[in-house]
Amino acid sequence: MLDIKFKLNPTHTSERDWMQPSSLKTLFWNCTYACNYKCGVCFSDAHKKRKNELTAQEILKFFSTMQGNGLKDVIVSGGEPFLRPDLLDVLCTFKKWGISARIASNGSLLNQNTIKTLKQNTSTKSFQISLDCLSPEKYKILHGCSAEHLPKVIENIKHIKQHGFHTTIAARLMPLTLPEIPALLDFAVEQNIDTVTVHMPMQTKRHNDTFDFHEDLFQKMTPVFDHYTTLKKKWLIEIYVPWAAFHPVVKTWEKKEKIVYSGCTAARDRLTINPSGEIGFCVCLDTPKLSLGNIRTHDIRDIFKNAPLCSAMKNPAAAGLCTDCEHVAQCGGGCRTNAYLAANNIMGQDTLCPLINQVSCKTK
């Protein structure tokens, strides 16, 4: 996922050099395809639960094999994770095993009792709530729901923060949301929210009314950056885009604010499990033909270590990515999902990389 994180409170940045060798420390678990919203942009095409989704027993059997084997963190998303009736039980078990959880949710199904239970009985450490805007009418359009959901979601965000969770509000970068992001930054400052994350939507599943694939989204974000510089409280900007450090717009940002580059750790310290147990390298690319296996039948640790795509992510130059570019060890060969979207070739070029026109960036 390509993100720009506007961090307002001093908390943490990436814990390691994202291109350095690592064990499998983190898993994305998209726990269900069920969702009470029908967003126009959704990388998992969520709405209805599917028949072959993992049971709680299957999930706990799998994670029982991961405890003590280096797994530290599970990022729980969906669909809408709180449509899984067994989610709290699973998260409570994670705590017993010393596995922390981070939750990405639309926030509409939460209440104070659930938030309190998560704080007291689970190892959940953070929430990311998809907000997108503060306009009820735009919220209705973006999320495919009633505008009446927005006040409830805002109240739940306040409760999450009050209970001491690291709290992020998120927006997907679209023509409709771009003018709304400065107001989200102001809201975050007022409510002492820790981070405002802007997702650059990957055009994999539903991607209605997004910017054109080849548009320069950093250039589009310049008014947002300019607004960030005026905030009375801010810390730094963390960018999860592999080649961001070479982008001319971002280079101008560096002159005014502290920028931290975190690249992409897909298949470098993490993998993804979809609701049916399929193993993927990127949370945004839930595509059957790119499945690396299934936790019902495969050892995910072996996949992480030996699958050709995972090996290519860890050593892109050896896999033939950007062989004539001196920066490949720094950017990791760009975004594989972008490459797949550009030419249906997971090992092709990330044509959005700003270095493409400066060096030959050949692939074998």
Side-chain angles (χ1 to χ4, degrees):
M1 185 175 291
L2 305 182
D3 294 337
I4 305 174
K5 296 181 180 292
F6 295 91
K7 298 199 167 189
L8 306 177
N9 292 328
T11 52
H12 65 277
T13 57
S14 293
E15 298 173 355
R16 68 178 188 88
D17 181 343
W18 61 281
M19 282 295 293
Q20 291 302 307
S22 173
S23 60
L24 180 57
K25 295 181 178 180
T26 302
L27 288 173
F28 281 97
W29 173 36
N30 291 333
C31 66
T32 183
Y33 286 113
C35 190
N36 58 325
Y37 285 3
K38 188 71 180 293
C39 299
V41 173
C42 180
F43 59 74
S44 65
D45 197 21
H47 190 47
K48 294 182 179 180
K49 179 182 177 181
R50 301 181 190 176
K51 292 181 180 179
N52 62 342
E53 291 186 10
L54 296 166
T55 65
Q57 183 179 9
E58 288 175 315
I59 278 292
L60 292 176
K61 179 181 177 181
F62 165 73
F63 279 106
S64 70
T65 68
M66 299 300 293
Q67 61 165 323
N69 280 286
L71 182 67
K72 303 294 185 184
D73 196 25
V74 179
I75 302 170
V76 183
S77 186
E80 171 46 49
F82 289 99
L83 281 174
R84 267 199 82 114
D86 54 19
L87 181 63
L88 287 177
D89 292 335
V90 171
L91 294 177
C92 287
T93 305
F94 283 179
K95 182 177 181 178
K96 296 176 183 177
W97 290 339
I99 299 173
S100 65
R102 291 180 275 165
I103 299 176
S105 166
N106 63 40
S108 66
L109 300 178
L110 291 167
N111 56 55
Q112 288 205 58
N113 287 335
T114 300
I115 295 169
K116 183 178 180 180
T117 298
L118 286 163
K119 187 64 178 179
Q120 294 180 342
N121 300 331
T122 79
S123 54
T124 302
K125 60 184 183 182
S126 68
F127 275 87
Q128 177 180 278
I129 303 298
S130 298
L131 193 56
D132 288 301
C133 66
L134 297 175
S135 160
E137 286 306 309
K138 285 189 177 182
Y139 188 88
K140 175 182 177 180
I141 294 169
L142 290 163
H143 293 266
C145 66
S146 168
E148 296 175 358
H149 283 252
L150 179 58
K152 182 178 181 181
V153 170
I154 289 174
E155 283 303 305
N156 282 332
I157 290 170
K158 295 176 182 179
H159 294 319
I160 289 167
K161 183 61 185 177
Q162 289 165 3
H163 278 81
F165 293 101
H166 183 278
T167 307
T168 296
I169 57 175
R172 291 158 287 195
L173 183 56
M174 305 163 59
L176 192 61
T177 62
L178 180 57
E180 305 297 316
I181 298 173
L184 290 179
L185 287 168
D186 292 339
F187 169 79
V189 170
E190 293 167 3
Q191 300 299 325
N192 197 29
I193 303 301
D194 298 293
T195 304
V196 177
T197 293
V198 179
H199 301 302
M200 298 180 174
M202 311 298 289
Q203 299 183 5
T204 50
K205 297 287 186 174
R206 296 200 303 265
H207 55 275
N208 302 330
D209 302 318
T210 54
F211 287 109
D212 181 80
F213 177 72
H214 290 288
E215 288 199 60
D216 186 343
L217 297 186
F218 281 117
Q219 183 65 53
K220 298 283 186 186
M221 283 288 292
T222 296
V224 176
F225 172 81
D226 289 343
H227 187 80
Y228 173 82
T229 66
T230 69
L231 298 179
K232 62 182 180 181
K233 184 180 71 172
K234 57 184 184 290
W235 183 37
L236 56 81
I237 299 173
E238 188 170 22
I239 303 180
Y240 287 78
V241 178
W243 35 257
F246 307 105
H247 195 287
V249 169
V250 179
K251 287 181 178 179
T252 67
W253 293 0
E254 282 185 332
K255 298 175 182 178
K256 297 181 180 180
E257 298 289 344
K258 183 178 180 180
I259 309 288
V260 173
Y261 300 103
S262 297
C264 173
T265 55
R268 293 178 175 120
D269 72 358
R270 64 193 59 196
L271 289 173
T272 297
I273 305 168
N274 82 1
S276 304
E278 296 296 319
I279 302 166
F281 79 100
C282 173
V283 69
C284 296
L285 201 57
D286 184 1
T287 302
K289 71 177 184 177
L290 295 176
S291 172
L292 303 177
N294 192 295
I295 67 168
R296 291 176 168 126
T297 54
H298 295 79
D299 185 339
I300 196 170
R301 292 163 294 184
D302 180 65
I303 286 172
F304 178 78
K305 183 178 180 181
N306 297 312
L309 182 55
C310 293
S311 297
M313 294 295 287
K314 296 178 180 70
N315 194 342
L321 293 173
C322 303
T323 54
D324 288 357
C325 180
E326 64 179 311
H327 303 293
V328 64
Q330 184 177 349
C331 79
C335 173
R336 294 298 88 218
T337 299
N338 276 347
Y340 181 76
L341 293 171
N344 200 34
N345 180 8
I346 200 67
M347 294 301 292
Q349 288 186 336
D350 176 359
T351 56
L352 299 186
C353 174
L355 294 174
I356 288 291
N357 296 322
Q358 300 177 32
V359 294
S360 57
C361 293
K362 294 178 182 177
T363 57
K364 290 180 182 177

